[in-house]
Amino acid sequence: MNTAFPSGPFGGANPASAFFEAMDQLRKSFDPRPSGGSRMARGDVRTAVLSLLAEKPMHGYQIITEIAERSGGTWKPSAGSVYPTLQLLADEGLITADEQNGRKTYSLTDAGAEVAAEATETPAPWESSAPRDHTRFSALPKAGVDLAAAAAQVGRTGSPEQVQEAIEVLDEARRRLYTILAQD
């Protein structure tokens, strides 16, 4: 097994930290640009919860994952924002909670259904946060991370010849990606 790591732009002293630093730079390259960010306002969580519960009863985790899916991954509210919102809606008499299989499943009351119906006149909060092409924000970064992980594995365990071949493959992939951008 080859444990020698060539030095590169991140140095050769700690290859694991160099890999994670490179991965962090890759991840950051896909972060949304500062144009308001993907953080939603407090009222958006409330509106989103009411909209989803108008469709069917759900538990808190289902609500979080459903919002993330519908927003194309650009908005995933934290448990720290969803569960207090559920409690507030219950305190207001807009939802009820029934325990099933150890989980609280929330559903709208009649009053909650009325409030949710009023909110249908405006687009759901996740619709305004969803990118037009979620591939840019989900599939492409995942493919890049998977490629980087494979390259790191070759660097850790490959022979010098395998490392050189991997470098050539990556150089070719980089050139082909720039060719894609050059096309009209």
Side-chain angles (χ1 to χ4, degrees):
M1 182 158 108
N2 181 8
T3 57
F5 291 88
S7 63
F10 305 111
N14 186 346
S17 69
F19 172 72
F20 289 115
E21 187 174 337
M23 294 302 295
D24 191 48
Q25 286 183 354
L26 176 65
R27 181 192 54 77
K28 286 178 182 175
S29 71
F30 289 99
D31 284 347
R33 300 293 180 244
S35 61
S38 64
R39 190 169 185 140
M40 303 303 282
R42 287 180 202 220
D44 291 334
V45 174
R46 176 186 172 93
T47 303
V49 168
L50 288 170
S51 296
L52 292 174
L53 293 179
E55 295 175 11
K56 67 178 182 178
M58 295 183 183
H59 56 77
Y61 181 74
Q62 284 176 301
I63 292 169
I64 293 169
T65 56
E66 192 66 29
I67 291 170
E69 287 177 18
R70 292 186 187 201
S71 69
T74 62
W75 179 34
K76 183 176 182 183
S78 68
S81 63
V82 171
Y83 286 102
T85 300
L86 288 167
Q87 184 61 52
L88 180 64
L89 292 170
D91 292 346
E92 293 174 6
L94 300 178
I95 65 172
T96 60
D98 296 314
E99 188 150 341
Q100 298 172 347
N101 301 325
R103 284 195 154 153
K104 286 185 179 181
T105 302
Y106 301 91
S107 56
L108 293 177
T109 62
D110 291 340
E114 287 178 28
V115 172
E118 292 171 10
T120 59
E121 297 171 9
T122 59
W126 54 79
E127 291 174 1
S128 60
S129 70
R132 290 188 180 97
D133 179 9
H134 74 86
T135 302
R136 173 181 299 217
F137 299 101
S138 60
L140 185 59
K142 182 185 180 325
V145 168
D146 291 348
L147 178 63
Q153 181 69 29
V154 172
R156 281 192 304 274
T157 62
S159 68
E161 295 80 19
Q162 290 171 323
V163 169
Q164 185 56 45
E165 186 177 347
I167 291 169
E168 291 168 11
V169 167
L170 292 173
D171 283 344
E172 175 61 21
R174 179 184 43 77
R175 283 190 293 275
R176 290 186 62 193
L177 288 171
Y178 280 122
T179 301
I180 292 169
L181 287 175
Q183 298 171 1
D184 272 346

